Amino acid sequence: MTPLLFMVLAMEMGVIITMLFHSPLRNLIIMGLDRLKQGRGLVTSRTIFATLFIVFVFNVYDILKTQKRVIEVGTTNPTDQVLLANHILEASLMGFCLFLGLMIDRLHYYIKELWLLRKSLKVTRDSNPIHPVNKNKKA
């Protein structure tokens, strides 16, 4: 599961970097996210998010259970150390995946709002018959 989480993290970081800079690929990603948020895509993405969150919570629970066992016994055996390290790695990767997914969602929302704001300002500016006078221009 760890290589899959690393791959998802790399893809999410690539999408975020692409969304930060204006490029034709950014427009493609925005259109793809628009389509994803319509119809069944939204339900599917929320289901995947909820499943990942539940697995994240169980990993955190296993970490706490292992630490409690270590405190009760007083010493750790190598098996517990390996399991603890694996659970911590998986939990941190899942947490990062969830955070970056939320960041992608918010970036998409803000970019769409910015486009709508610019479009409305352009419409109001074009429809305004009174233009400001340029004071530096000599007659």
Side-chain angles (χ1 to χ4, degrees):
M1 185 149 168
T2 305
L4 176 67
L5 289 171
F6 274 116
M7 186 179 65
V8 169
L9 274 176
M11 288 181 3
E12 286 181 337
M13 284 189 262
V15 167
I16 288 173
I17 297 273
T18 306
M19 288 176 71
L20 289 177
F21 301 107
H22 189 70
S23 67
L25 191 56
R26 175 183 175 182
N27 296 337
L28 183 65
I29 288 175
I30 296 295
M31 288 187 333
L33 287 172
D34 284 340
R35 298 214 180 203
L36 179 70
K37 289 185 176 184
Q38 295 174 356
R40 294 185 191 174
L42 184 62
V43 174
T44 305
S45 63
R46 285 186 180 173
T47 304
I48 292 171
F49 179 82
T51 304
L52 192 62
F53 183 75
I54 289 171
V55 174
F56 171 74
V57 169
F58 281 126
N59 267 336
V60 171
Y61 175 75
D62 283 339
I63 290 169
L64 294 176
K65 190 170 69 170
T66 306
Q67 285 180 347
K68 184 178 178 184
R69 186 172 51 233
V70 167
I71 290 172
E72 288 175 356
V73 174
T75 60
T76 61
N77 58 14
T79 306
D80 282 343
Q81 288 177 350
V82 170
L83 286 174
L84 187 63
N86 190 25
H87 284 307
I88 289 174
L89 177 63
E90 285 184 0
S92 62
L93 289 175
M94 283 184 218
F96 293 146
C97 283
L98 293 171
F99 174 72
L100 290 178
L102 181 66
M103 200 167 157
I104 288 171
D105 181 53
R106 292 291 90 196
L107 272 173
H108 175 252
Y109 175 76
Y110 290 136
I111 289 171
K112 291 297 283 186
E113 286 295 317
L114 187 62
W115 280 354
L116 291 175
L117 181 65
R118 284 182 180 167
K119 195 181 283 188
S120 67
L121 285 176
K122 184 178 179 183
V123 168
T124 57
R125 192 174 357 162
D126 291 342
S127 63
N128 189 0
I130 302 172
H131 297 287
V133 177
N134 190 354
K135 293 181 181 180
N136 295 333
K137 187 176 180 183
K138 294 182 180 180

